[in-house]
Amino acid sequence: MSTETVTTDADRRAAPAAEPPALPARHPREPDPADDLVVRLRLRGVLDPEALSAAWRDVLDRHTVLRTLTPGPADPGPRVLEAVALARVRRRPVRPEDVEAAAAEALARPAALGTEGPARATLLRVGPEEHVLVLAVHRSAIDDRSVRPLLTDLATAYSARRAGGAPVFPPTSGFAEWLARRDGDMQPRSRLRADPVGRWITVDRALPGGAAEALAALRASHGAAPLAAVLAATVVVEDGAPLDAEDPRRDGGFEGAVGPFATVARVACRAGGTGTEVLGRVLAALTGHRAAHPGPARTLVRHEPGGEPPALDGLVVDREPAPAGPAGYDRVVTLVEGPDGVAVRLAVDAVSGDAAGAAARVRRLAGTLGHLLREPAAPLT
């Protein structure tokens, strides 16, 4: 039976978040902390800070995009620094009641893209066996799908450094190679941008058992990835209104790579017809020319693959929700695959919606998607 879970940003915070320090006005070309992808990990157990710093250096060394400097107006082009020149984990002891304020302070400093690169790491020491690791990477160098391989590499490197050796990573191509292989007519659209002040109401609606197998069958029979399936359901619920889709374009061989692969693709198609017909229109919109469409889309649709990142060796790791959502949208629909099954997650900006409305909408979304998975040839309403 489907289950529903409703949370808000306030539910996720053990203590009220302090207001980040005021920042001086920036030139429009300068980076903004709101453009960072943030990962917060609470680490419990005996941590080796030196091994963690060495592991972070290993991760930067593996992924060139994380140590590429953005050129300024007078620079000839991007420069790639050696990891040893960049990698340092800033360490700071904090009291338990000051964790939120310290994390906000660490995130308030914008990325120095022209001198330090896009990636920063801060380690807050809460107690002898409790730390909070705050990773911030500018979205010019990473997307949400890259978080899992980044944390996987960090765990691999930490285990090796803790044992006194160097990590051995599986081979993978990088973002530059992906750009070289990308189809010539694919025009990258705007990157996703975080909203540091938005307050989001989040509702999860679990799909009935067998949804993962049905998604795999739909891919085999219609060539429709899970993103296309949830897009088709959202097209119906939104009654054909234009949608934005976080399109990662994961070509084969890039699964372990880190970089800003995700672009925002516009999907605008009619809602009526069978599931197969709506899917066909969605697939055509995803694979067609990336010309800009007039007018903003209110809803962003994304897919979050299953599987948790591995824990750091000898530690209990809890990933804490980042205190931000994507800017410029009223709603975010996410198809979530996890160890307990498949769910539809709807995040609604509290300014434009409430928990009751979000719950009703996610129930319809989950029902429409379930209908598509059960009977793709039937009318999708």
Side-chain angles (χ1 to χ4, degrees):
M1 181 178 294
S2 296
T3 58
E4 211 168 88
T5 306
V6 182
T7 57
T8 67
D9 277 2
D11 295 330
R12 298 188 177 103
R13 293 189 292 274
E19 289 294 326
L23 294 172
R26 286 180 294 272
H27 187 278
R29 291 180 58 87
E30 294 179 352
D32 187 322
D35 290 325
D36 290 332
L37 189 153
V38 177
V39 178
R40 281 178 48 165
L41 303 176
R42 187 170 291 270
L43 313 176
R44 294 182 175 88
V46 179
L47 175 70
D48 184 340
E50 297 300 330
L52 182 64
S53 292
W56 181 240
R57 183 166 60 248
D58 292 327
V59 170
L60 297 191
D61 189 55
R62 171 165 163 79
H63 300 290
T64 305
V65 69
L66 298 180
R67 49 190 173 88
T68 299
L69 304 186
T70 301
D75 295 330
R79 292 188 299 126
V80 179
L81 294 186
E82 295 296 326
V84 69
L86 288 174
R88 65 189 182 103
V89 178
R90 292 179 173 84
R91 304 180 198 173
R92 177 180 173 185
V94 298
R95 297 177 300 178
E97 61 268 26
D98 295 333
V99 168
E100 293 297 329
E105 183 178 343
L107 296 173
R109 186 178 67 88
L113 299 177
T115 56
E116 298 179 8
R120 293 106 67 210
T122 303
L123 182 66
L124 306 176
R125 185 181 185 274
V126 186
E129 296 190 7
E130 183 173 357
H131 297 76
V132 174
L133 178 62
V134 182
L135 305 177
V137 185
H138 195 268
R139 285 187 179 269
S140 63
I142 197 171
D143 63 9
D144 291 88
R145 291 283 188 96
S146 297
V147 170
R148 184 164 290 114
L150 184 146
L151 295 181
T152 297
D153 289 344
L154 183 63
T156 298
Y158 180 74
S159 296
R161 294 299 178 183
R162 194 165 178 249
V168 178
F169 296 115
T172 186
S173 299
F175 182 66
E177 291 81 3
W178 178 82
L179 283 176
R181 278 178 47 178
R182 190 177 59 189
D183 292 341
D185 65 343
M186 296 301 173
Q187 304 297 323
R189 292 180 56 82
S190 59
R191 302 291 181 199
L192 298 176
R193 184 176 184 274
D195 178 3
V197 296
R199 292 294 176 261
W200 294 82
I201 300 166
T202 304
V203 186
D204 286 2
R205 180 78 176 180
L207 297 180
E213 294 77 10
L215 284 166
L218 196 66
R219 182 194 288 268
S221 61
H222 293 79
L227 175 65
V230 71
L231 270 168
T234 311
V235 163
V236 173
V237 171
E238 298 285 350
D239 197 23
L243 307 173
D244 278 352
E246 182 181 308
D247 184 7
R249 303 209 161 276
R250 287 292 190 186
D251 296 330
F254 295 90
E255 292 80 3
V258 170
F261 294 89
T263 56
V264 178
R266 180 60 48 86
V267 175
C269 60
R270 290 185 295 106
T274 67
T276 301
E277 290 168 345
V278 178
L279 264 178
R281 292 194 285 269
V282 165
L283 291 171
L286 282 175
T287 58
H289 186 68
R290 289 297 195 271
H293 292 265
R298 300 180 62 193
T299 303
L300 174 71
V301 182
R302 61 194 354 171
H303 170 223
E304 185 176 303
E308 291 297 321
L312 297 174
D313 189 27
L315 298 168
V316 176
V317 180
D318 296 316
R319 183 172 175 186
E320 301 181 338
Y329 297 97
D330 295 334
R331 297 179 290 272
V332 181
V333 176
T334 307
L335 182 66
V336 182
E337 295 182 74
D340 298 327
V342 182
V344 177
R345 175 173 298 156
L346 175 65
V348 177
D349 189 331
V351 174
S352 60
D354 56 27
R361 185 178 291 266
V362 81
R363 280 196 291 272
R364 188 179 174 203
L365 271 167
T368 303
L369 179 57
H371 183 70
L372 169 64
L373 296 180
R374 289 191 307 272
E375 301 178 78
L380 196 57
T381 59

